[in-house]
Amino acid sequence: MSTVPFSTEAASVPSPGGANEDLVLTGPHFALVIDGATAEPGASTGCGHDVRWLVAEVGTRLARGLLHDPDARQPLRELLHDALTDLATEHGRTCDLDNPCSPTATLALLRLTGDTVEHLVLGDSTVALREHSGAVHAVTDDRLERLIHLPWAELRRHRNRPGGFWVAGPRPEAARQALVGRHPVASLSAAALLTDGAARLVERYDCSWPDLLDLLEAEGPVQLVERVRTAELRTAPGRFPGKHQDDATAVLCRFERDDRYHRTGDHARAESGSDGRADGGETVTEPGTRTSATATDGSGRGTE
């Protein structure tokens, strides 16, 4: 267990008029967000459980594994694999796990152990890490994004398949495809975990990653979600692919109690095929994924 001060602040808000299919869980040395994938309209899932049940079950099992391993002896991919295997054993007694429309979820996880911060991302949730220099390294799995233009009937055939996209659900081997990385905690001041409903402030609405972290640290996760809702209301439905409004979850993690940062730096992106290495940390990516590192000159513009 790390002796570095670690604190979290979180908000999880459902889409207006809907039930929240996101979940956030935090512990003494970890934070976790899970985003349930909305079921295909009118499809038979072969499952007697809904997405919220799956999200709660995955979260409970994963949090239990993290709490029972305070010294971080088990790699994050293995922890997730064990959680999904345990769930599949119970789930498969009553449900058809081979159904391509069965419930699934994306997730992002951060664990602090000793002098290291580890992260895991599976699906289109995001971990964003801020260094003391002000540079922000955002880890996002874009394999689903590359296929989002496909109709439902075709998209589902790519789920948890090589060359497609990977999510948490009935196939435990998806855990092996998660993006993982390690960074020295001494190099970091804060981190954010975001479901895509919160990360859309960057992905859709022209906010930079450093500005998003600034907002989180200055005003908190609730205000970040409010900023997303304001942007959605100002945008015509259909402007972007996917849902016009979505459940939104954000977690701010702090590794120190001193909020003084020096926000200058450069701009870079590590595409698939690179080693993903950034300033003493290591991010392991799979083909078709990306990480990005961004800082601003104080005006919100990325500097080359």
Side-chain angles (χ1 to χ4, degrees):
M1 183 82 66
S2 176
T3 59
V4 175
F6 178 68
S7 62
T8 59
E9 183 180 355
S12 187
V13 181
S15 175
N20 196 350
E21 295 176 343
D22 285 1
L23 177 69
V24 56
L25 295 170
T26 62
H29 65 299
F30 71 87
L32 165 68
V33 298
I34 306 180
D35 180 2
T38 301
E40 178 180 346
S44 172
T45 65
C47 181
H49 308 100
D50 62 12
V51 171
R52 296 180 73 194
W53 176 88
L54 178 97
V55 167
E57 293 295 318
V58 171
T60 298
R61 285 166 169 77
L62 191 49
R64 183 184 301 130
L66 289 161
L67 289 169
H68 288 173
D69 184 29
D71 296 322
R73 300 181 186 277
Q74 191 171 14
L76 292 180
R77 281 176 174 159
E78 295 304 315
L79 277 171
L80 177 58
H81 185 272
D82 287 355
L84 296 181
T85 299
D86 185 41
L87 177 59
T89 299
E90 177 180 328
H91 198 193
R93 296 192 184 105
T94 58
C95 303
D96 177 11
L97 302 189
D98 292 324
N99 188 304
C101 298
S102 58
T104 59
T106 76
L107 60 91
L109 166 64
L110 181 144
R111 177 172 68 179
L112 175 63
T113 175
D115 59 359
T116 301
V117 172
E118 301 174 278
H119 68 262
L120 177 147
V121 173
L122 182 64
D124 58 2
S125 294
T126 299
V127 171
L129 301 155
R130 165 163 267 166
E131 297 185 348
H132 290 288
S133 67
V136 176
H137 302 274
V139 182
T140 301
D141 183 347
D142 66 351
R143 285 172 283 192
L144 175 58
E145 179 186 341
R146 296 183 181 200
L147 300 170
I148 199 65
H149 62 283
L150 297 176
W152 276 100
E154 186 173 352
L155 181 65
R156 68 189 180 197
R157 292 200 294 268
H158 295 277
R159 190 183 77 172
N160 287 345
R161 302 289 182 190
F165 65 98
W166 298 86
V167 285
R171 295 189 61 183
E173 60 266 33
R176 314 284 194 208
Q177 303 297 322
L179 312 185
V180 296
R182 298 164 59 88
H183 292 260
V185 68
S187 71
L188 302 175
S189 58
L193 283 71
L194 308 154
T195 61
D196 65 333
R200 63 176 47 186
L201 195 62
V202 171
E203 295 164 353
R204 292 187 177 185
Y205 300 118
D206 297 326
C207 180
S208 69
W209 285 113
D211 285 347
L212 183 144
L213 264 294
D214 286 348
L215 174 61
L216 264 179
E217 293 181 67
E219 302 185 35
V222 171
Q223 286 302 312
L224 185 148
V225 174
E226 288 297 321
R227 190 77 60 88
V228 171
R229 294 289 180 248
T230 298
E232 289 169 339
L233 291 173
R234 292 174 176 172
T235 305
R239 167 78 182 280
F240 300 102
K243 302 175 187 176
H244 179 60
Q245 293 186 300
D246 196 3
D247 305 332
T249 299
V251 183
L252 171 64
C253 304
R254 296 186 186 275
F255 307 112
E256 61 177 5
R257 296 191 178 95
D258 188 342
D259 294 335
R260 293 170 294 178
Y261 304 108
H262 179 57
R263 296 189 174 100
T264 61
D266 58 1
H267 175 85
R269 172 167 292 178
E271 297 293 347
S272 61
S274 74
D275 65 3
R277 190 175 299 275
D279 297 341
E282 181 180 14
T283 297
V284 181
T285 63
E286 302 293 341
T289 62
R290 69 170 185 266
T291 65
S292 63
T294 308
T296 66
D297 58 5
S299 65
R301 298 186 298 272
T303 57
E304 297 298 331

